[in-house]
Amino acid sequence: MIASIARWLDSRTRAAKFARSIMNHVFPDHWSFMLGEIALYAFVILVITGTFMALFFDGSSADVVYHGSYAPLVGVHMSSAYQSVLHLSFDVPAGLVIRQMHHWAADIFLGAIAAHLLRIYFTAAYRKPRELNWMIGLTLLLLAIANGFLGYSICDDLLSGAGLRIGYSILLSVPVIGPWLTFLAFGGTIPVSATIPRLFAMHIFLFPALIATLIGAHLALIWRQMHTNYPGKGRNDRVIVGSRLWPSYTLKSIGLFLFVFAVVAALGSFVQIDPVWIYGPFKADAILPGAQPDWYLGWIEGAMRLFPSVNTHFGKWLIPEVFFPGFLFPAVVFILLYAFPFIDKLISLDFRAHNVLRMPWEQPFNTALGCAVLAFLSVLFVAGGDDVIAVAAGAPLAWMRELLRYLAFAAPLLTGVVAYAICETIRRRRSRAIPAQPAEPFERSEVNVEMR
Amino acid sequence: MQIYLQQCAKCHGPTGEGISAAVTIAGPNLWAEDDPGRVMTALEVGPSHMPRFEYILSVAQMHAVSDYVAHTIAQIHLNGGDLSRGGELFRRNCAACHRTAVRGGGLVFVGTNAPSLTGKSAALIAGAIRWGPGPMPRFPPSVLSDHQVASIVDYIRYVQQPASPGGSALNWYGPVAEGFVAWVGVLLMIGIVMWIEKGGKG
């Protein structure tokens, strides 16, 4: 029956040969090559849960009076957007669990992207010919951060309002073009009624479409260029070893999707995230401490908390202090990341194409640099949550912040030096042991494919 | 009044304003103790660090003190608060330090953190609003009426144990705790991926 359908299809489309070549495509087996896939499946969950929520969310700032199930807000004036989030959370069947799954999936999406980025960096997978895909991946990270912030902002609760106000101030602080940028993104000086509809349209149309398109390009390039592989027996820049797309890789991948879904569903069911009803509606005259962005913006929040309060004057122009930690710093970080494949060429003086990865200890400088940056970012992440940590630990906040300012300089230096020393030690030990390097056993189907 | 000044004013102040910035430890403010029965009970039982006055004063004397506290010292009357209105007032006047989740907040320039309000009694909260212990500002009747104070107290008492569905609230620490949990989730999935790559064994 199935065979006859397949024959019927093949006699008309001549698809069998094409399909076979696709199914025989080889992917190398290593756990660290599946990190991006976790992100991919988190994105799938985001689209599914987001579509459900879009049926109930009202992206409007119209003033309404709440009459739902949450007693402490009954009779309170709020935006229609916030009211629809409360309605979704309390009065729509399964609304809350879907909303929480969406938010957890977003946090995990960004976490998986970050883990994936670290793997690429520490194994130098960005080298020729993959510089372009590295840049597409970075763009995906930027878009994901931006879209996460938009989703956090459109709930219009007091927390998201506080975040929006910070985002607005950062954009406004950009010299010369700041005011125009804010009018484009927010539709006026916030709070203004044009903001929520604008952010909503960007959150559900523009950014997801861009992300989906770039994921397609990202995967197509991996397909076209073949995947990289770790060094080992029978592996060189012209041979790839791994499992076929069908059946082994497909089944593995479906299994991973189910696991990602299970973890997100469990978090959505058992751990509360963004309880908007506790925060209350956004009002311009209210504010709260412990107001943090979601984790992926925590490093910028931390930079803004640690950066000294200095306004810079350029002739008659003022550059507000938020510009440096809030805009310039992340901009420099991303520009350096985009340029890194080319910076690496200058460090390693290696301009050839590579399909076999470079292990972290084979590039001590890059590894030390990466570890130092990670240490710096870790200090910033802690600083971003310093008031919450101060309350939880019962420590005075001002004292903690001073300490973190010193750590922001000391931690990267120390980490970098230690990482460099460790890499050098491993490299020396390995270079002595190279003649007797043990062959890695392969039990699965080996397929050698010539690189185009 | 004589007995109050002799026996109570040492800890609660001559006008019942309380003496300690840490209102939980000694001499809490009495401005919301408008129920003579409650004051009588406190005198008899001696809650927390307070001595038991049934050994020190006669019953008549204790009744006199209760009446004095409830009718002269007490200035705030906590009846008929409005929960939603209290929420609005709380977000406008209190949340900037204590957070909307009433679990306290870190303050940079004050030198001390705003305390959590969980487990605080209605009278204690109302007294603190009027009196302003430590660096906390005072909210006299010209700023917040008795009804508004009662509403705020209602709201705080509600959020101490809120109806908050959706699983563990992580003590309402907010995105910092959520981000931590998210990374636990990411690491769990990396563990799963490693397990898959090992062939699902062991």
Side-chain angles (χ1 to χ4, degrees):
Chain A
M1 166 70 180
I2 293 171
S4 64
I5 292 176
R7 256 194 306 280
W8 185 88
L9 269 175
D10 188 46
S11 65
R12 278 150 189 83
T13 60
R14 290 275 162 234
K17 201 173 155 226
F18 180 60
R20 180 163 301 130
S21 82
I22 287 177
M23 292 194 299
N24 283 341
H25 200 91
V26 172
F27 287 96
D29 303 309
H30 194 273
W31 64 267
S32 70
F33 298 157
M34 310 267 279
L35 300 175
E37 222 165 299
I38 298 175
L40 173 69
Y41 291 136
F43 181 71
V44 171
I45 297 170
L46 281 168
V47 172
I48 296 170
T49 51
T51 307
F52 176 85
M53 293 201 296
L55 306 177
F56 298 96
F57 182 72
D58 177 20
S60 142
S61 321
D63 181 69
V64 292
V65 177
Y66 181 69
H67 290 293
S69 311
Y70 186 66
L73 287 173
V74 169
V76 171
H77 281 266
M78 56 182 64
S79 69
S80 186
Y82 182 60
Q83 188 210 32
S84 67
V85 178
L86 289 176
H87 176 69
L88 176 71
S89 303
F90 286 103
D91 299 313
V92 173
L96 182 59
V97 70
I98 297 282
R99 211 193 109 224
Q100 297 201 141
M101 280 175 69
H102 188 76
H103 205 139
W104 281 122
D107 276 13
I108 282 169
F109 181 46
L110 268 300
I113 293 177
H116 179 52
L117 173 70
L118 292 179
R119 199 282 292 171
I120 304 285
Y121 176 83
F122 283 110
T123 59
Y126 48 74
R127 289 179 299 172
K128 189 181 173 186
R130 295 182 179 80
E131 304 99 323
L132 187 61
N133 227 10
W134 163 262
M135 290 191 241
I136 292 177
L138 285 172
T139 313
L140 276 169
L141 172 61
L142 266 180
L143 289 170
I145 291 176
N147 212 28
F149 179 70
L150 289 171
Y152 164 96
S153 297
I154 56 175
C155 295
D156 207 25
D157 57 286
L158 191 51
L159 180 67
S160 72
L164 202 56
R165 199 150 36 179
I166 295 172
Y168 175 84
S169 309
I170 292 174
L171 209 53
L172 192 63
S173 75
V174 179
V176 186
I177 54 169
W180 287 320
L181 284 180
T182 47
F183 267 68
L184 179 67
F186 296 90
T189 49
I190 60 162
V192 64
S193 58
T195 304
I196 300 282
R198 224 167 258 211
L199 301 189
F200 181 48
M202 287 195 269
H203 180 67
I204 70 163
F205 295 120
L206 184 60
F207 282 84
L210 286 172
I211 290 173
T213 310
L214 286 182
I215 287 177
H218 203 59
L219 294 177
L221 268 178
I222 293 171
W223 188 279
R224 181 83 188 145
Q225 298 177 333
M226 312 300 286
H227 203 287
T228 53
N229 214 341
Y230 281 105
K233 192 201 167 196
R235 300 169 191 194
N236 58 49
D237 282 338
R238 300 182 56 79
V239 171
I240 186 158
V241 180
S243 8
R244 288 186 178 93
L245 180 66
W246 180 265
S248 46
Y249 197 84
T250 308
L251 291 179
K252 207 159 75 176
S253 196
I254 291 172
L256 178 59
F257 172 66
L258 296 176
F259 273 119
V260 174
F261 198 94
V263 170
V264 170
L267 282 173
S269 311
F270 299 119
V271 190
Q272 201 178 68
I273 187 164
D274 197 13
V276 288
W277 53 92
I278 293 286
Y279 300 124
F282 172 61
K283 294 274 158 66
D285 62 352
I287 187 63
L288 71 167
Q292 265 82 18
D294 282 333
W295 79 263
Y296 41 84
L297 284 168
W299 54 293
I300 301 177
E301 171 83 17
M304 300 215 304
R305 289 178 185 212
L306 292 190
F307 195 77
S309 168
V310 285
N311 287 318
T312 314
H313 291 272
F314 256 113
K316 61 173 178 160
W317 290 284
L318 164 80
I319 301 179
E321 63 190 77
V322 289
F323 173 70
F324 300 100
F327 193 92
L328 193 61
F329 163 60
V332 166
V333 167
F334 268 94
I335 288 170
L336 288 179
L337 278 172
Y338 273 103
F340 199 79
F342 311 103
I343 297 174
D344 175 73
K345 285 189 182 37
L346 298 179
I347 298 172
S348 62
L349 296 175
D350 180 357
F351 300 91
R352 284 168 303 144
H354 290 279
N355 294 319
V356 174
L357 297 167
R358 196 163 64 191
M359 299 308 277
W361 54 84
E362 296 168 340
Q363 42 166 4
F365 178 78
N366 293 29
T367 305
L369 180 67
C371 290
V373 169
L374 270 187
F376 183 58
L377 290 180
S378 307
V379 173
L380 294 187
F381 274 114
V382 172
D386 59 0
D387 59 337
V388 173
I389 295 165
V391 169
L397 177 54
W399 179 86
M400 250 188 80
R401 203 161 281 181
E402 275 312 301
L403 179 74
L404 285 168
R405 282 188 174 137
Y406 290 113
L407 269 180
F409 292 97
L413 259 168
L414 198 68
T415 320
V417 169
V418 170
Y420 194 93
I422 292 175
C423 287
E424 277 296 322
T425 316
I426 298 177
R427 189 162 69 154
R428 242 173 289 135
R429 197 170 300 159
R430 292 230 159 201
S431 67
R432 273 203 300 270
I434 262 188
Q437 201 179 25
E440 213 175 289
F442 296 108
E443 286 166 5
R444 291 180 217 175
S445 61
E446 279 185 40
V447 181
N448 292 0
V449 175
E450 286 283 309
M451 280 292 294
R452 274 180 282 250
Chain B
M1 183 189 165
Q2 271 305 318
I3 305 166
Y4 177 85
L5 288 176
Q6 283 169 3
Q7 301 288 345
C8 316
K10 253 177 278 174
C11 295
H12 293 288
T15 60
E17 73 274 21
I19 57 158
S20 172
V23 284
T24 44
I25 293 169
N29 184 294
L30 299 177
W31 291 350
E33 296 293 349
D34 60 349
D35 177 2
R38 264 179 59 95
V39 182
M40 191 67 191
T41 310
L43 288 168
E44 285 168 358
V45 173
S48 186
H49 298 274
M50 182 166 154
R52 290 175 71 165
F53 281 93
E54 60 178 339
Y55 303 130
I56 302 167
L57 302 174
S58 70
V59 173
Q61 283 173 319
M62 286 198 290
H63 272 298
V65 170
S66 306
D67 283 343
Y68 180 71
V69 169
H71 297 129
T72 313
I73 299 277
Q75 302 161 19
I76 321 165
H77 302 283
L78 293 174
N79 36 33
D82 174 344
L83 185 60
S84 306
R85 185 86 190 103
E88 286 184 291
L89 289 163
F90 184 87
R91 284 189 288 278
R92 189 168 297 158
N93 295 292
C94 321
C97 296
H98 294 284
R99 262 162 63 206
T100 51
V102 311
R103 272 145 182 88
L107 307 173
V108 186
F109 300 110
V110 180
T112 174
N113 297 329
S116 168
L117 305 179
T118 49
K120 302 277 194 280
S121 71
L124 205 62
I125 296 166
I129 292 172
R130 282 276 191 261
W131 178 51
M136 176 168 157
R138 287 159 192 249
F139 295 87
S142 56
V143 176
L144 292 173
S145 71
D146 271 7
H147 180 254
Q148 287 175 319
V149 170
S151 301
I152 292 175
V153 168
D154 273 3
Y155 179 75
I156 294 171
R157 298 286 284 170
Y158 182 90
V159 182
Q160 285 174 348
Q161 293 286 334
S164 198
S168 164
L170 309 172
N171 199 31
W172 287 281
Y173 281 132
V176 175
E178 291 162 7
F180 188 78
V181 172
W183 268 98
V184 172
V186 172
L187 292 179
L188 176 67
M189 273 181 285
I190 292 177
I192 290 170
V193 166
M194 290 169 137
W195 176 74
I196 291 177
E197 281 298 348
K198 273 175 75 183
K201 291 188 286 278

